[in-house]
Amino acid sequence: MDDFLAARSQMGVSLGFHIIFACIGMVMPFFMAVAHYQWLRSGNSRYLHIAKAWSKGVAIFFVTGAVSGTVLSFELGLLWPRFMEYAGPIIGMPFSLEGTAFFIEAIALGFYLYGWQRLNRWFHWFTGLVTGLSGLASGILVVSANSWMNSPSGFDYINGQFLNIDPMKAMFNAAWAAQALHMILAAFVATGFAVAGVHAWMVLRNRNRDFHWKSFRIAITFGALAAVLQPLSGDIAAKSIARRQPAKLAAMEALYHTEQPAPLLIGGWPDSRKREVRYGLRVPGGLSFLAFGNFRAPVAGLDQVPDHEEPPVPVVHFSFQLMVALGIWLLVLGLVYFYGSWRRRRWLRSPRFLKACVVAIPAGFLAIEAGWIVTEVGRQPWIIYRIMRTADAVTPMPGIRYTFYLFTAVYILLSAMVVFLFYRQIKMVPVLYDTE
């Protein structure tokens, strides 16, 4: 493995692990706040127990998210020094504001964890809500920095120099709104169904059923609502990509040749050597409509992209297909949940539905990982789209492959510890919060 590939792999592994910790730490405080509010409103102590149990999970993922996020910050400077040399003054604002949001989140979480019976009960609930809102702001600001890499703005690029820098314009770049909306909804989908799946598993095992059933309903409501909204945000994101990054769109759909109208490809096996796709199902005019709102619109293919600027098509295409397939599955589960809540309540307690939710535990996070692969690999070979190549931004320091191996081992160990702590917390629920 050469140092360039090792640097990319290390950044990919770090981001792949961090994004799971960050999404859970960002979304679960809202679940906790809802359970807390239900207790304040109804006086049902079961909701108090749920809020307390979830607060421990929030603490676990906050700590791991903070550690893994700090590592990513150092890696940006150590692995990609030329990128940070030029990009730092331009996208420093969202990173600085993200740090502020992180500190607010940490303070609010501290108040929440140690405020039981010490603070006014409504102010105590408010600190939990602030924990979620500041975590959400933190995620949006990080996505702003990433979206700038896909849609660079807020500067003039003249003779290899970044001049006339406007940090506000850079932060609110053309890709920011679509990418942030899609990412935040994805975090709610993934976390909602994962948490719901864990509690569904405990319901199936007859463990503290009322506690886990109430927990399941809160979590799956968030996840199902986000899953229903996610296709709308995906449509917005796809249209944004079609305008700004036609090469990425062509790679996502394995569109080797410009077509008018362009079909929507479902499945398929891209062959980059022969410039063709085998076995895929094509929906006539589908891609033209999704990209431009017109069934007859032309869509630029990879034949419009120089060979040295073409993204790795199979990786991007398979990741995109996986993300869409998992999203559709969770959407169907969400619709079944809402319909069941409305007309067929017995469906929700049926073992078949609960088992489907258990199986869906990893689905949302797999979709998030696939989506980030599309975002990052689909932009290649650029680290700043059409401005700076990734190969030109990497550090000249040798031996990166050894740090890649080390960091991968550390992240695997950290993840194992998180799973152990989370499993231990679930097992302790009947002991801590009266069994039935």
Side-chain angles (χ1 to χ4, degrees):
M1 179 184 292
D2 61 37
D3 289 331
F4 175 53
L5 180 58
R8 291 184 62 190
S9 300
Q10 182 174 329
M11 198 73 189
V13 167
S14 300
L15 180 60
F17 279 97
H18 171 71
I19 200 170
I20 296 176
F21 302 145
C23 285
I24 298 175
M26 180 172 63
V27 171
M28 275 199 70
F30 290 101
F31 301 178
M32 175 184 77
V34 168
H36 195 158
Y37 175 79
Q38 291 281 52
W39 170 63
L40 292 174
R41 187 181 61 84
S42 68
N44 188 331
S45 62
R46 188 71 68 197
Y47 288 111
L48 171 63
H49 299 159
I50 293 169
K52 286 186 174 182
W54 276 346
S55 70
K56 293 178 173 61
V58 170
I60 292 170
F61 285 103
F62 175 82
V63 171
T64 52
V67 171
S68 58
T70 302
V71 170
L72 276 171
S73 300
F74 281 111
E75 286 180 341
L76 280 172
L78 293 173
L79 298 178
W80 314 102
R82 191 158 181 266
F83 166 75
M84 291 304 296
E85 176 187 355
Y86 293 107
I90 304 174
I91 57 172
M93 180 177 288
F95 279 125
S96 299
L97 293 175
E98 190 275 334
T100 303
F102 171 78
F103 283 123
I104 294 173
E105 182 183 7
I107 293 168
L109 181 59
F111 273 115
Y112 191 84
L113 292 174
Y114 296 100
W116 296 103
Q117 283 127 17
R118 293 182 177 90
L119 299 173
N120 173 277
R121 63 182 198 155
W122 283 105
F123 177 75
H124 184 215
W125 168 80
F126 180 69
T127 61
L129 184 62
V130 170
T131 301
L133 292 174
S134 54
L136 196 66
S138 180
I140 291 172
L141 289 164
V142 169
V143 170
S144 172
N146 179 268
S147 64
W148 177 84
M149 298 163 68
N150 291 307
S151 181
S153 59
F155 62 93
D156 293 324
Y157 189 64
I158 303 172
N159 297 326
Q161 298 295 316
F162 293 79
L163 306 174
N164 304 321
I165 294 171
D166 184 346
M168 290 297 292
K169 187 176 180 181
M171 184 166 70
F172 297 107
N173 56 80
W176 168 74
Q179 196 169 320
L181 177 63
H182 198 59
M183 182 65 231
I184 295 306
L185 286 175
F188 273 95
V189 172
T191 306
F193 277 100
V195 174
V198 170
H199 290 290
W201 175 53
M202 299 303 289
V203 170
L204 287 168
R205 297 184 65 189
N206 264 329
R207 300 290 182 86
N208 213 7
R209 286 180 64 90
D210 188 52
F211 175 96
H212 289 293
W213 177 248
K214 286 181 168 58
S215 302
F216 169 80
R217 292 295 300 269
I218 293 173
I220 198 171
T221 299
F222 274 99
L225 180 60
V228 171
L229 296 175
Q230 187 68 302
L232 301 177
S233 77
D235 181 67
I236 294 170
K239 286 179 168 57
S240 176
I241 291 171
R243 293 192 306 272
R244 297 178 295 97
Q245 295 177 292
K248 179 184 287 186
L249 179 68
M252 289 161 59
E253 286 293 324
L255 188 68
Y256 286 106
H257 306 285
T258 301
E259 296 190 43
Q260 181 183 8
L264 178 68
L265 179 65
I266 300 175
W269 190 275
D271 187 333
S272 294
R273 186 176 60 84
K274 294 183 178 180
R275 315 292 286 178
E276 64 181 21
V277 180
R278 298 193 296 271
Y279 315 122
L281 175 64
R282 290 171 171 80
V283 180
L287 182 57
S288 295
F289 179 76
L290 290 177
F292 300 107
N294 183 345
F295 284 103
R296 300 293 302 173
V299 179
L302 292 165
D303 54 355
Q304 303 293 317
V305 180
D307 290 345
H308 63 283
E309 295 182 8
E310 184 176 301
V313 176
V315 174
V316 178
H317 175 70
F318 290 136
S319 298
F320 177 67
Q321 295 287 313
L322 176 63
M323 179 188 70
V324 172
L326 292 171
I328 291 173
W329 176 26
L330 296 177
L331 169 62
V332 170
L333 274 181
L335 292 174
V336 170
Y337 169 73
F338 284 129
Y339 182 75
S341 298
W342 178 43
R343 299 295 297 271
R344 296 287 189 273
R345 289 187 175 272
R346 67 179 185 275
W347 285 10
L348 304 185
R349 291 183 180 269
S350 69
R352 180 177 298 178
F353 178 71
L354 293 174
K355 288 176 182 177
C357 292
V358 172
V359 174
I361 288 175
F365 293 113
L366 290 174
I368 286 178
E369 298 286 7
W372 272 103
I373 290 172
V374 172
T375 299
E376 298 302 300
V377 178
R379 189 181 61 244
Q380 299 307 312
W382 309 99
I383 191 169
I384 306 175
Y385 188 61
R386 293 195 177 280
I387 299 292
M388 180 183 292
R389 291 177 174 273
T390 309
D392 296 332
V394 71
T395 178
M397 183 179 69
I400 299 299
R401 62 183 180 276
Y402 299 114
T403 63
F404 163 61
Y405 300 144
L406 175 63
F407 274 76
T408 300
V410 168
Y411 274 113
I412 291 173
L413 178 61
L414 180 63
S415 299
M417 292 174 61
V418 169
V419 170
F420 169 75
L421 290 172
F422 201 61
Y423 178 74
R424 184 170 176 268
Q425 177 63 25
I426 294 171
K427 294 284 286 185
M428 289 178 65
V429 162
V431 177
L432 296 175
Y433 312 116
D434 61 282
T435 56
E436 297 159 12

